[in-house]
Amino acid sequence: MTTPPLLTATRAYYDTVAEGYAERVKGAFARDAWGRAMLGGFAEEVRADGGLPVADLGCGPGHVTAHLDGLGVRAFGVDLSPRMVDVARRDHPGLRFEVGSMSALDLPDGELGGVVAWWSILHTPPGLLPVLFAEFHRVLAPGGRLLLGFHAGEDQPYSGRKRDDGVSYDIHLLSPDRVGEMLVRAGFVSTARMLGEGERWPWACLAGRRPAAGASPADRAGS
């Protein structure tokens, strides 16, 4: 199967910056009280639900996976970039990391208690996000939890400066309202939302869950 150009470009970019990126995010959560709060609440809910595994999608060098592991969650990471996965395995040898695409996960239906996509959906154009959210819904068990973090805006694209070797990247400053609507259409119930001002762009964290088996219409609506 031919790899779409979007995935090829994203993989190439992260393969070339893996070492520097890993160094930059070391100790990130020591400086990020709101991120710790959202991930902490997510981990508490997953543990209370029975502790099924959690996939950290777009895991990069594995710092979020390791943070979740430290919170008592059975977390593993998946990333498109083989070099990022190599770095994650080196820096966190006790944890599981795999190369893969979050739009086509090599996981059975309903296997996971949680999915985290922490600043990793922002390379996907807004029109393609429903594909990701349908895949997240597929791999979550009934009642499973979802947590997204991303740069916020009005769905406008941003292109990073092309380097001398021709490698560049594109991101999308995603609308929290429209992302939330897409999640509902994908079958999720909204459970929490946090917005904040970042150093460069605003940010958003959205939490949701796949309704439990046999949930009433009111439960599915989040009431």
Side-chain angles (χ1 to χ4, degrees), residues 36-186:
R36 292 198 308 272
M38 291 297 286
L39 286 164
F42 169 85
E44 183 175 337
E45 290 182 327
V46 169
R47 293 196 308 268
D49 291 341
L52 287 175
V54 168
D56 173 20
L57 302 180
C59 66
H63 60 298
V64 177
T65 317
H67 186 76
L68 290 168
D69 178 73
L71 295 173
V73 171
R74 290 194 292 144
F76 66 95
V78 178
D79 200 272
L80 187 65
S81 161
R83 184 60 190 133
M84 280 289 193
V85 169
D86 288 343
V87 171
R89 289 170 174 166
R90 180 197 68 197
D91 292 349
H92 309 286
L95 300 178
R96 167 186 161 199
F97 296 97
E98 301 172 354
V99 177
S101 169
M102 68 176 74
S103 62
L105 295 164
D106 187 19
L107 294 168
D109 295 356
E111 181 172 86
L112 303 179
V115 163
V116 174
W118 198 252
W119 268 260
S120 56
I121 66 169
L122 48 75
H123 296 292
T124 303
L128 298 180
L129 287 174
V131 175
L132 299 189
F133 298 158
E135 186 69 346
F136 298 172
H137 189 276
R138 180 187 70 80
V139 297
L140 279 170
R145 305 286 176 168
L146 173 68
L147 181 63
L148 306 178
F150 52 90
H151 295 307
E154 292 301 321
D155 294 340
Q156 70 269 37
Y158 170 84
S159 295
R161 181 169 46 185
K162 184 174 290 189
R163 302 182 334 195
D164 292 342
D165 58 7
V167 174
S168 65
Y169 65 94
D170 293 321
I171 67 171
H172 298 266
L173 309 181
L174 301 170
S175 163
D177 289 339
R178 283 188 279 278
V179 170
E181 291 167 359
M182 291 181 205
L183 290 175
V184 170
R185 288 197 293 271

Side-chain angles (χ1 to χ4, degrees), residues 186-200:
F188 289 98
V189 174
S190 175
T191 58
R193 168 182 167 126
M194 183 181 290
L195 306 177
E197 292 298 324
E199 294 181 3
R200 188 170 190 177

